Amino acid sequence: GRFLHLTDMHPDPHYRIDASESTACHRRKPKKEKERGGYYGLPYGDCDSPLTLTNFTLDFLEKHWADEVDFVIWTGDSARHDNDRELPRTPSEIYELNRAMVRRMNEVFTSRGVPVVPCLGNNDVWRKFLIFRSFSEALTSPNSITNEFANIWRTFIPFESFQVFQRGGYYSVEVIPGEVAVISLNTMYFYDSNKAVGGCEYMDADDPGNLEYDWLEVQLDRYRERGMQVWLSGHVPPSPGNYFPGCFVRYADVALRYQDTILGHLFGHMNVDHFFFLQPEDTVLVEDESAKSRREEGKEEGDGDAGEESHSSLAETLMEDFSSLPKKGKTDLDDYVVINVAPSVVPNPYLPTFRVFAFNKKDKKKDKKKSPKRDHGHRHPRPGSGAEVDCKKKANRETWACRERKPQHASGDAPSRTNRLWTPLGYAQVSCIQCTFDLQRRTLMCGGQYWLPKVGDASKGEKPKFKLEYVTYAAEMLSAETETGGMPVPVPGKELPKTLSGRQTPYGMRDLTIGSWLELGRRLGDAKKEKVRKLFRRYMYQGGE
C-alpha cells in the first residue's frame, strides 16, 4: 500500500510574476532588486506559492499518484504567510484559501474514495484571534475557528468525530477500516507561539493542550484494544524549540507508552527534510531559566514559522545528537520514537516537494500465521525515568516530571519494530533541485529533477516536470523482480527514472522500523561516513545553504 504526505502549500492569490522578494512577491518595486518571482515561484526565497504552482502540483498528483495511494495525510498551512504589512491577511482570506484547496483535494482524491486527513497549521489560524477566548469555553462550546473548519472539512471528518473536532480541532479517521487509523492533532495547543493557551501546565487540567492529550490517550487505548495501528499527524513537530515544556513532555510520554500501536509520527511546519528521536529523558524535561528566556525572546508576534537562521544549525545539531546514539548491541528499542518532518510544497526557503510512503499490505491471515501474537505482558513503567528530578522537593511534586508513571506498551513484534502487516517500508521524495532564477531571461532554470520553462513561453503545453529526488529504499527493492508474495514494488515503475543513481538511493533502508532509523542515525552520527552525511545535508537544504 501507499499514502501521500503533503504539507505547507501556502497558496498566495496576491503573488505576481516578476515582483520583488522584499514585497513577498506582491509588488514590482523596487525594480532594481535582483530576486524576483518566477512563473512557478521563487526558489530559496521568502515568497509563498503562486496559484500556478499549487494547481500544477495537484494536477501532477492527480495524474501520477491519485490512483496509486490508499490515503492522504495533509499537515496544514494552506494559506499564505502574513508577511506583508501593506497587504495584511484576514480571517476571510484564510478560510477562502482553505476552501479552494479542499475543493481541489476533493476533486483529486476524495472523489476516488481516497481518504484525506488534514490538520490545522499555524497559518490556518488568524494570529490575532484567540483559539479559546477562555479555557472554560473549550469545555462547553465550539468556537468560530473550529466551527468554520468543521464546515470546510466536512467531507474529511467522520460523523463520530464531528463534535470533538468542533470543541478542539482534532479528530481521528480509520483510513483502512478496522485496521489503520490516522489521528490528526491540533498542535496549536502545544505550540509555544500560541499565547492564548496555558502550555499543558501540570495543575491545569482544563488547559486545551491537556484536554487534547487526555483525548489522545483514550483514542490510543481504544485502537490498541481493537488491535489497530495508528499514524499520528500534526503540523508543528514535537521538540523543545517548538512546544511548551509541559506539552513536549506529554507528547514524548504518550509516544513512548504506545510504541506498539503507533506506526509513526508525521509533521510539517519546518519546511526542511529531517528526522529526530524522542527518548525517555524527554519525558522528564525540566526547562531552565536560560532556555525559557531564549524561547521567549525568539518568539515574536507573527506567523512563527522557522526561518533560515534556525535551519542553518539544524544539520549540525542533528549530527551531534546522532553521534551520541548507543551501539546496536547496547540499544533498547523500547526507548526510542522517530519523528519525521517533511519538506514543503512552498519554495520558501527551499524547493517544492512531497513524499509518497509505502507500507506492508500483505494478506492479514497469512501474516497472523507467521507472526506471534501481541505480547500483552510487555507493559512496564520505564525504570529510572524520574531519576534526574528530586520528587521529594515541594517545587517538583506538582510537575510532569514527578507524575505517576503509567505502563509502557512496547513489543518487538509490533509493526513499528518488525516488518510485518502495516509496517512502513520507505518513502519516495519528489522535488525540484538546483533551481535558480535567471533575471535577464525571466526563467526558472532547474537542473536534474525539476525543470521549469521560460516564464514568457509558459503554457498548458509546456509545463514543469516533477521527478524523483531520492528514496529511502535500497535500489534492489525497486526492481520489478522483487514483486513477490503479493507485495508490489514500493514505487511504480512509471514514476522511476530509467537508471537510479547512487544519490537517489543514499540510505538503502530495508524498512522504516525504529531499528532501521537508528541504524541510519548511527551512520549519520559517524564523522567517518562523509558521503552519507553530505547527502543528508544536500537533501535537507536542497542546495540552498
Side-chain angles (χ1 to χ4, degrees), residues 116-372:
V116 176
V117 188
C119 66
L120 287 171
N122 56 301
N123 284 286
D124 297 320
V125 179
W126 191 40
R127 62 186 173 89
K128 293 182 179 180
F129 188 97
L130 302 185
I131 292 181
F132 286 135
R133 295 172 183 175
S134 68
F135 295 157
S136 61
E137 185 181 348
L139 296 173
T140 57
S141 63
N143 60 77
S144 64
I145 293 177
T146 55
N147 267 337
E148 192 68 38
F149 274 97
N151 180 51
I152 295 172
W153 292 351
R154 61 187 179 277
T155 57
F156 305 143
I157 302 171
F159 176 78
E160 58 271 20
S161 296
F162 206 77
Q163 287 187 329
V164 169
F165 181 85
Q166 283 184 309
R167 281 198 287 267
Y170 41 84
Y171 63 104
S172 62
V173 180
E174 293 190 22
V175 290
I176 301 178
E179 304 289 355
V180 178
V182 175
I183 293 179
S184 173
L185 298 171
N186 182 358
T187 57
M188 296 305 97
Y189 300 151
F190 314 146
Y191 187 33
D192 62 8
S193 283
N194 185 1
K195 306 307 180 185
V197 294
C200 307
E201 292 290 340
Y202 182 74
M203 297 302 292
D204 189 356
D206 291 342
D207 172 75
N210 283 332
L211 292 173
E212 183 171 0
Y213 279 122
D214 293 343
W215 169 86
L216 175 59
E217 290 192 43
V218 171
Q219 299 305 301
L220 290 170
D221 277 329
R222 289 176 176 173
Y223 286 129
R224 187 174 186 278
E225 288 172 3
R226 295 173 58 193
M228 293 181 63
Q229 291 292 301
V230 177
W231 285 95
L232 290 192
S233 67
H235 182 66
V236 181
S239 69
N242 283 323
Y243 280 20
F244 291 105
C247 298
F248 174 68
V249 164
R250 288 206 70 178
Y251 192 98
D253 179 64
V254 170
L256 284 161
R257 284 197 292 109
Y258 291 92
Q259 191 203 71
D260 69 346
T261 303
I262 299 172
L263 289 167
H265 307 253
L266 303 178
F267 293 87
H269 180 66
M270 300 295 289
N271 295 14
V272 59
D273 173 3
H274 66 289
F275 72 96
F276 58 92
F277 299 102
L278 298 181
Q279 299 172 247
E281 51 261 41
D282 295 317
T283 69
V284 292
L285 177 70
V286 178
E287 186 179 42
D288 58 34
E289 288 302 316
S290 61
K292 183 177 181 181
S293 176
R294 288 195 303 272
R295 189 162 56 82
E296 290 178 348
E297 288 175 2
K299 299 290 183 178
E300 299 178 359
E301 185 180 13
D303 294 327
D305 282 354
E308 289 186 33
E309 185 176 352
S310 61
H311 287 174
S312 62
S313 61
L314 180 57
E316 286 73 20
T317 300
L318 291 172
M319 300 293 188
E320 184 178 350
D321 288 345
F322 295 153
S323 69
S324 65
L325 291 171
K327 294 182 179 180
K328 186 174 181 179
K330 299 181 179 180
T331 303
D332 185 350
L333 295 181
D334 289 8
D335 290 342
Y336 292 89
V337 166
V338 185
I339 307 297
N340 277 275
V341 184
S344 59
V345 171
V346 67
N348 174 359
Y350 303 118
L351 302 171
T353 309
F354 63 85
R355 285 180 175 174
V356 179
F357 285 77
F359 57 90
N360 190 327
K361 203 177 181 182
K362 289 189 296 184
D363 181 74
K364 188 176 181 183
K365 293 180 181 179
K366 293 180 181 179
D367 187 80
K368 280 188 172 181
K369 289 179 181 179
K370 293 180 180 179
S371 303

Side-chain angles (χ1 to χ4, degrees), residues 416-443:
S416 63
R417 297 269 290 273
T418 298
N419 189 348
R420 55 182 300 183
L421 184 66
W422 310 128
T423 295
L425 300 175
Y427 63 77
Q429 186 154 297
V430 182
S431 71
C432 161
I433 66 170
Q434 298 177 344
C435 298
T436 57
F437 184 73
D438 187 321
L439 182 63
Q440 284 73 37
R441 293 187 296 169
R442 294 185 180 179
T443 306

Side-chain angles (χ1 to χ4, degrees), residues 433-489:
I433 66 170
Q434 298 177 344
C435 298
T436 57
F437 184 73
D438 187 321
L439 182 63
Q440 284 73 37
R441 293 187 296 169
R442 294 185 180 179
T443 306
L444 195 58
M445 302 291 292
C446 302
Q449 304 296 342
Y450 179 0
W451 177 76
L452 294 177
K454 295 181 180 180
V455 170
D457 296 337
S459 65
K460 290 183 179 180
E462 189 177 10
K463 296 180 180 179
K465 297 177 182 178
F466 272 115
K467 292 186 179 180
L468 186 72
E469 181 182 7
Y470 77 90
V471 296
T472 59
Y473 314 99
E476 58 269 20
M477 292 178 65
L478 301 175
S479 169
E481 283 73 25
T482 63
E483 191 169 338
T484 59
M487 285 287 291
V489 290

Side-chain angles (χ1 to χ4, degrees), residues 6 406 472:
L6 198 63
K406 297 180 182 180
T472 59

